[in-house]
Amino acid sequence: MRLTYAPVIRQMKDYPLIKRLYLSAFPAAERAPLRSLLRAGQRPGNEFVAYYHDHQFVGFSYLVTSGDLAYLMFLAVDDRLRGKGYGSQILEAVAAGRPTARLLLNTEVLDADAPNALTRQRRREFYENNGFVSSGWQVTEFGVDYELMCRPGRVSPDEYRDLTKKYAGWKYFLFHQQFARLGK
């Protein structure tokens, strides 16, 4: 099964599917305005991409690159197609397009008391099964606690902060980033 892809633009026929998936896959506290993602996705170093299998929309990724870092800000697979390997294939497509880059992402910190504790655990296991390891750092953005993960190698808070500043520009102050060692 080989995936094809296309840049996400508002005029594409599958845009309503992409929008529905974006709104259903990510809690409001973790989403950026979709119009901002579309606009920023057109800038060099940023990619908003829809993935297809046999012309059927399966999911999307949103990537921000800077130097040797590629930050996977969003990855979602249509909920009717999860568990069929599409997420892993999207990760491999992202990695293949930048073979020397360190891929990084944030996943919600594991919390047994969280209402979505099982979902958090499954996500973390998915990323670990796809080669991601913990950086050992927790980052809090917009009031949400995340674990910073990377593949291959490691990433430091300063590297992640610099990438975020480059992406957000003058809006960086809205992130209110705080870093802490995991387990402390």
Side-chain angles (χ1 to χ4, degrees):
M1 139 176 78
R2 184 175 172 108
L3 297 182
T4 57
Y5 58 90
V8 173
I9 58 171
R10 193 181 314 261
Q11 296 79 12
M12 66 194 311
K13 76 173 183 65
D14 290 321
Y15 181 76
L17 296 174
I18 294 163
K19 182 178 181 178
R20 180 195 61 78
L21 178 57
Y22 180 66
L23 295 174
S24 68
F26 301 99
E30 297 180 25
R31 291 191 308 252
L34 198 48
R35 68 184 175 281
S36 296
L37 294 178
L38 287 165
R39 192 171 35 253
Q42 303 300 312
R43 292 194 311 240
N46 301 341
E47 296 178 8
F48 195 0
V49 177
Y51 294 88
Y52 298 86
H53 179 236
D54 290 336
H55 306 288
Q56 177 188 6
F57 171 72
V58 297
F60 67 82
S61 67
Y62 191 91
L63 192 73
V64 175
T65 58
S66 179
D68 77 326
L69 293 178
Y71 172 51
L72 188 59
M73 189 179 289
F74 296 105
L75 167 68
V77 173
D78 186 302
D79 52 341
R80 297 166 296 185
L81 300 172
R82 290 185 186 141
K84 299 182 186 293
Y86 291 119
S88 295
Q89 284 197 31
I90 291 171
L91 284 174
E92 287 310 311
V94 168
R98 48 211 52 75
T100 61
R102 290 176 289 157
L103 297 179
L104 55 135
L105 58 87
N106 286 325
T107 188
E108 291 173 298
V109 170
L110 296 180
D111 178 357
D113 296 326
N116 67 342
L118 184 57
T119 300
R120 290 180 184 204
Q121 181 64 40
R122 285 187 192 143
R123 266 190 211 124
R124 189 172 198 289
E125 289 171 359
F126 166 75
Y127 290 122
E128 287 175 333
N129 290 338
N130 282 279
F132 286 84
V133 297
S134 176
S135 68
W137 290 98
Q138 174 180 313
V139 59
T140 302
E141 293 178 339
F142 300 102
V144 180
D145 296 330
Y146 298 102
E147 179 176 359
L148 184 57
M149 299 183 79
C150 191
R151 162 189 156 182
R154 300 276 184 199
V155 63
S156 72
D158 287 339
E159 290 174 305
Y160 179 69
R161 185 180 298 112
D162 289 347
L163 180 140
T164 307
K165 283 180 182 177
K166 181 179 176 188
Y167 174 76
W170 67 268
K171 294 178 183 176
Y172 173 74
F173 77 93
L174 297 171
F175 282 65
H176 299 287
Q177 283 182 334
Q178 297 176 340
F179 294 89
R181 281 266 181 214
L182 280 169
K184 299 213 179 213

